[in-house]
């Protein structure tokens, strides 16, 4: 995630349910060929080169395909590419062949040049790209991001009409996992240049897709639109639905009411609504690679630049009470940054999160000791004033109030102020460093620990707390360049443990996504990392 735009979304973006198209008073669908998905905010763009929002990526997952797509087991399988590719040149070169029957929804062939065009647009500074760091490791990407080289030098080249060659700066053991992400999807170069780069992806008429569906009825500002089956899709025989309808539903209670009235097949609920429905017979808990944590402002001059103060705050928080009494939605205490179920360490056979976890137990005595030592080291006298910022969703406010009470009740001479703001105000404060603690989360883009750990390196745009540790940076960099699995996972384990020892962030809990599901809905691929795929879904 994301950003995704994770920097513009609150915790309650957990919602991504399925709304059954219904009519009449009985709430029954007029067709088993039609379902509807709900978004929690309006779709603003489908240009994957300069946006990274939840609604955008949710929609792109169902209308477009990259070289690979994820199957029901969260593993990459061939999509636009004819097969899963093994690298050559010591792990730095991939040669893909694009399917001959791959076409855009307007009938244009999908070519290797469409991938080259899209990826380079994603690093062209004129397009105001927001998701550049994910390209790191592809040849010249880091230099391009740093402004030292032109985006045209990115290591991707169409070496034939349907032959695509990708060159890396160094081996990337997780490269195949990246290729299913929306940011790496192609764009119909001919079409984009025809409608204009500023207009592309701003409405249905200015968008084409190469996946199972195409978008219709979207003006660019309305909150409803429909995905129609793409007759040019190479695997259309596998698609059972004729259409998927989207509408914006921002409130979890509204989603619940729609479900109980027979108008929702899959309602993802959060906050108080989820808390009150944990025993509902229709509840389905969907595992996600999703960690909620506190970003800690460690800029020069900030009190929490002191490690012992950060450690004290972490030890002062009773995570078990937070998850069982405040949230009570199936979420569990976080004992590491990488969430359980994200990936298995193949060198040990263990879940990576579990093998790198530390204790989540509250220890007020130890917290007070560290607090006193940290205050002395930082030359702090009198009452220390701290601030917690977050978005204005109810669940965020509840968590903020709990953390505030834990700090003030368990640590001496401290006062904590809470600011829960609309998205823009919240992001402005983070960007400007006007906070002590910021409530945030990470929903993994792809199922690998590097996707978590990589965002906390020095200078990363996803690291507004400015956590900076040379040892940590080197471990992450070494992992990215590792030429074998043993070295890769060894460095990742060390990086996670280093992050925890330095308390670069304060993990709070692992998010559980709660769905109310009609038992007739089947075939939905709920991915641990990334977005739910409804392209193979159907109603029994």
């Amino acid at each position: 995630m994301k950003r995704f735009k994770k920097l513009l979304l609150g915790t309650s973006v957990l919602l991504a349910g399925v709304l059954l198209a219904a009519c009449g008073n009985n709430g029954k669908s007029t067709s088993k060929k039609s379902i509807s998905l709900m978004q929690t905010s309006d779709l603003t763009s489908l240009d994957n080169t300069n946006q990274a929002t939840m609604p955008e990526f949710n929609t792109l997952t169902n209308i477009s395909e990259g070289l690979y797509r994820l199957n029901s087991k969260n593993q990459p399988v061939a999509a636009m590419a004819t097969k899963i590719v093994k690298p050559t040149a010591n792990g730095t070169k991939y040669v893909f062949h694009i399917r001959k029957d791959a076409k855009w929804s307007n009938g244009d062939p999908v070519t290797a040049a469409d991938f080259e065009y899209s990826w380079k647009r994603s690093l062209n500074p004129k397009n105001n790209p927001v998701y550049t760091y994910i390209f790191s490791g592809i040849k010249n990407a880091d230099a391009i991001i740093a402004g030292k080289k032109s985006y045209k030098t990115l290591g991707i080249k169409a070496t034939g009409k349907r032959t695509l060659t990708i060159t890396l700066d160094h081996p990337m053991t997780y490269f195949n996992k990246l290729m299913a992400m929306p940011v790496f999807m192609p764009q119909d170069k001919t079409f984009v240049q025809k409608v204009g780069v500023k207009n592309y992806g701003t409405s249905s008429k200015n968008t084409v897709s190469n996946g199972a569906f195409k978008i219709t009825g979207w003006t660019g500002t309305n909150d409803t639109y429909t995905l129609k089956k793409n007759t040019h899709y190479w695997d259309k025989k596998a698609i059972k639905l004729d259409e998927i309808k989207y509408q914006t539903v921002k409130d979890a209670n509204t989603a619940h009411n729609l479900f109980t009235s027979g108008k929702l097949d899959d309602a993802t609920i959060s906050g108080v609504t989820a808390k009150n429905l944990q025993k509902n017979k229709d509840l389905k808990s969907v595992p996600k690679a999703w960690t909620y944590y506190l970003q800690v402002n460690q800029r020069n001059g900030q009190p929490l630049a002191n490690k012992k103060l950060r450690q004290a705050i972490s030890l002062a928080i009773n995570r078990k009470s937070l998850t069982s009494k405040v949230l009570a939605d199936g979420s569990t205490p976080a004992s590491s940054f990488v969430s359980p179920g994200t990936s298995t360490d193949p060198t040990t056979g263990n879940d990576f999160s579990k093998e790198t976890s530390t204790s989540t137990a509250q220890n007020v005595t130890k917290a007070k000791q560290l607090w006193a030592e940290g205050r002395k080291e930082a030359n702090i006298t009198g009452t220390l004033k701290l601030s917690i910022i977050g978005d204005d969703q109810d669940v965020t406010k509840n968590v903020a109030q709990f953390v505030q009470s834990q700090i003030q009740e368990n640590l001496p001479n401290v006062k904590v102020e809470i600011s829960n703001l609309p998205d823009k105000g919240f992001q402005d404060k983070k960007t400007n460093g006007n906070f002590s603690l910021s409530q945030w989360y990470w929903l993994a883009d792809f199922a690998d620990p590097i996707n978590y750990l990589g965002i906390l390196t020095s200078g990363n745009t996803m690291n507004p707390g400015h956590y900076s540790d040379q040892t940590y940076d080197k471990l992450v960099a070494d992992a990215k360049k590792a030429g074998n699995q043993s070295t890769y996972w060894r460095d990742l384990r060390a990086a996670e443990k280093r992050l925890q020892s330095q308390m670069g962030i304060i993990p709070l809990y692992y998010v559980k996504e709660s769905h109310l599901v009609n038992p007739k809905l089947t075939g939905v691929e709920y991915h641990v990392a990334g977005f739910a795929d409804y392209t193979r879904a159907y109603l029994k």
Side-chain angles (χ1 to χ4, degrees), residues 148-424:
K148 297 178 180 178
K149 288 190 176 182
S150 167
Y151 70 93
K152 296 179 181 179
T153 66
L154 184 67
I156 179 173
K157 185 172 181 59
T159 50
K161 183 176 181 180
R162 293 188 176 87
T163 303
L164 183 69
T165 300
I166 297 172
T167 306
L168 309 181
D169 280 326
H170 50 74
M172 297 168 63
T173 60
Y174 53 93
F175 179 77
N176 279 344
K177 296 178 182 179
L178 296 175
M179 294 301 99
M181 292 175 55
V183 72
F184 292 106
M185 290 173 177
Q187 292 181 358
D188 185 347
K189 180 178 180 180
T190 302
F191 180 84
V192 175
Q193 292 181 338
K194 177 181 177 181
V195 301
V197 293
K198 291 185 178 180
N199 293 324
Y200 176 68
T202 59
S203 65
S204 295
K205 68 177 182 179
N206 290 325
T207 304
V208 289
S209 56
N210 66 327
F213 295 90
K214 62 180 180 180
I215 189 168
T216 64
W218 178 52
T219 64
T221 57
N222 56 327
D223 59 8
T224 61
Y225 53 94
T226 301
L227 307 186
K228 296 285 188 180
K229 189 172 183 178
N230 178 12
T231 58
H232 292 289
Y233 181 51
W234 70 273
D235 196 23
K236 61 184 177 182
K237 291 182 179 179
I239 311 305
K240 298 179 175 66
L241 296 174
D242 287 335
E243 66 178 19
I244 299 175
K245 294 184 177 180
Y246 276 90
Q247 75 174 69
T248 302
V249 181
K250 297 183 178 180
D251 180 66
N253 190 52
T254 300
H256 173 222
N257 291 336
L258 289 170
F259 182 85
T260 56
S261 65
K263 297 178 181 179
L264 277 167
D265 283 296
D266 183 341
T268 310
I269 53 175
S270 65
V272 176
T273 303
K275 179 178 179 179
N276 294 334
L277 293 171
Q278 287 303 298
K279 295 183 179 180
N280 189 294
K281 63 181 178 62
D282 295 315
L283 188 73
K284 175 183 175 66
S285 182
V286 176
K288 301 293 291 184
W290 201 328
T291 302
Y292 192 98
Y293 63 100
L294 295 175
Q295 296 171 325
V296 189
N297 193 342
Q298 296 161 64
R299 292 170 170 84
N300 290 334
Q302 289 290 326
L304 297 186
N306 181 277
K307 180 178 69 172
K308 289 182 179 178
L309 295 182
R310 301 195 298 271
Q311 292 173 327
I313 290 174
S314 180
L315 288 170
I317 299 171
N318 190 325
R319 291 167 176 79
K320 186 174 181 180
S321 292
L322 172 62
T323 55
S324 64
K325 297 178 181 179
V326 179
L327 298 169
D329 59 359
S331 298
T332 55
S335 52
S336 67
F337 185 29
V338 178
S339 63
T342 298
S343 59
T344 297
D345 181 341
T347 65
T348 64
N350 299 322
D351 181 276
F352 179 85
S353 178
K354 293 179 180 179
E355 71 180 1
T356 57
S357 288
T358 55
S359 173
T360 61
Q362 182 187 44
N363 189 333
V364 176
T365 300
K366 182 67 172 178
K368 288 181 177 179
Q369 175 189 334
L370 289 168
W371 188 251
E373 293 174 359
R375 286 174 60 96
K376 185 176 181 180
E377 290 176 359
N379 296 316
I380 296 172
T381 59
T383 300
L384 175 60
K385 294 183 179 180
L386 300 177
S387 62
I388 300 176
I389 63 170
D391 61 53
D392 57 358
Q393 303 295 331
D394 287 342
V395 65
T396 313
K397 294 177 182 178
N398 292 339
V399 172
Q401 290 168 7
F402 179 82
V403 172
Q404 177 193 47
S405 66
Q406 292 282 283
I407 295 174
Q408 292 185 159
E409 290 173 9
N410 295 322
L411 298 174
N413 298 319
V414 60
K415 181 176 179 57
V416 181
E417 295 183 351
I418 296 174
S419 296
N420 290 105
L421 308 164
D423 285 337
K424 187 179 186 306

Side-chain angles (χ1 to χ4, degrees), residues 1-11 13 51-55 57 130-131 133-134 181 289-291 293 295 337 391 423 426-427 430 438-446 451-452 455 461-462 464 528-531:
M1 204 182 290
K2 249 185 261 247
R3 83 148 130 183
F4 281 167
K5 241 178 199 178
K6 287 180 175 162
L7 298 183
L8 296 180
L9 295 171
T11 302
V13 297
Q51 292 290 324
T53 64
M54 282 276 192
F57 277 14
V130 298
Y131 206 19
Y133 83 91
I134 203 69
M181 292 175 55
W290 201 328
T291 302
Y293 63 100
Q295 296 171 325
F337 185 29
D391 61 53
D423 285 337
F426 172 40
Q427 297 307 327
K430 280 215 295 188
S438 174
Q439 297 171 262
W440 202 233
Y441 63 90
W442 190 253
L443 172 59
D445 305 328
F446 58 97
N451 188 231
Y452 289 84
I455 69 167
T461 57
M462 303 292 126
V528 171
F531 299 89

